[in-house]
Amino acid sequence: MEDFIQRRRLARIVDQAAKSAETWPTPESGWISTMRRALGMSADQVARRKGVSRNAVYQAERSEKDGAVSLKQMERLADAMGGKFVYAIVPKEPVERLKYAQAVATAEELSRTEDGFSSWSQEDQEDWLDDKAAELLHDMPGYFWSLRPDTSDPNSDI
């Protein structure tokens, strides 16, 4: 029961963060450049505060736009500008919806190995899938997340 309660608390946290993140506009020039320009700071001024060259600041701005800047570098630049670097991984949909989609996809995959499943009536198949998905959601066996519901490929996008 404790795991279930903990998972629900964590789900609320990430769901709430996802809602907040929806309203964050992503600046076209990136966060480093946007913060620097909002403060009226030159790259040279940021560089002096950080103890690097002006070119290093410009390179970080380019790297951010390319998705290649490190978290540590973002943290240090934010600090040099009197800011705080924040990052998060948030769900694209509410956590419970993601878990349900996973349970349904896993149940469908398991139905392929269920003896005689294809010969059952449509109603019996749907009942079995519903029951299996509910069981998977409740038990969350070790293989629960091994299948990607959108691709059926456990290694895609990893």
Side-chain angles (χ1 to χ4, degrees):
M1 182 60 107
E2 197 171 300
D3 276 352
F4 174 77
I5 292 169
Q6 181 68 6
R7 279 197 309 266
R8 293 298 291 234
R9 284 186 193 132
L10 296 173
R12 279 193 292 277
I13 290 169
V14 296
D15 286 344
Q16 182 179 10
K19 275 191 189 255
S20 295
E22 285 176 1
T23 63
W24 295 350
T26 302
E28 191 174 311
S29 61
W31 289 105
I32 300 167
S33 174
T34 300
M35 176 73 166
R36 179 177 62 74
R37 290 182 9 230
L39 292 167
M41 291 178 82
S42 68
D44 194 47
Q45 291 167 326
V46 174
R48 272 189 260 130
R49 285 178 158 220
K50 189 179 178 228
V52 297
S53 71
R54 176 182 61 211
N55 285 340
V57 174
Y58 287 136
Q59 179 58 46
E61 290 177 357
R62 283 189 300 274
S63 293
E64 179 191 2
K65 286 179 72 173
D66 293 340
V69 69
S70 74
L71 298 178
K72 186 56 102 179
Q73 193 172 25
M74 290 291 288
E75 190 175 88
R76 287 181 178 152
L77 282 163
D79 186 58
M81 293 184 283
K84 177 175 111 175
F85 175 62
V86 179
Y87 72 93
I89 296 175
V90 297
K92 293 176 183 175
E93 298 180 52
V95 168
E96 291 305 315
R97 193 175 302 155
L98 291 174
K99 287 169 44 180
Y100 179 75
Q102 183 66 37
V104 168
T106 302
E108 288 171 351
E109 183 67 25
L110 291 172
S111 73
R112 295 183 183 139
T113 60
E114 185 66 22
D115 286 338
F117 183 84
S118 60
S119 65
W120 299 353
S121 71
Q122 182 72 27
E123 189 175 279
D124 286 347
Q125 287 180 3
E126 288 173 8
D127 287 346
W128 187 92
L129 287 168
D130 287 346
D131 289 348
K132 183 55 79 173
E135 176 187 319
L136 289 164
L137 274 173
H138 180 270
D139 297 345
M140 294 195 71
Y143 59 85
F144 184 81
W145 291 105
S146 62
L147 175 74
R148 290 286 304 253
D150 54 334
T151 64
S152 299
D153 178 1
N155 296 316
S156 69
D157 293 331
I158 296 178

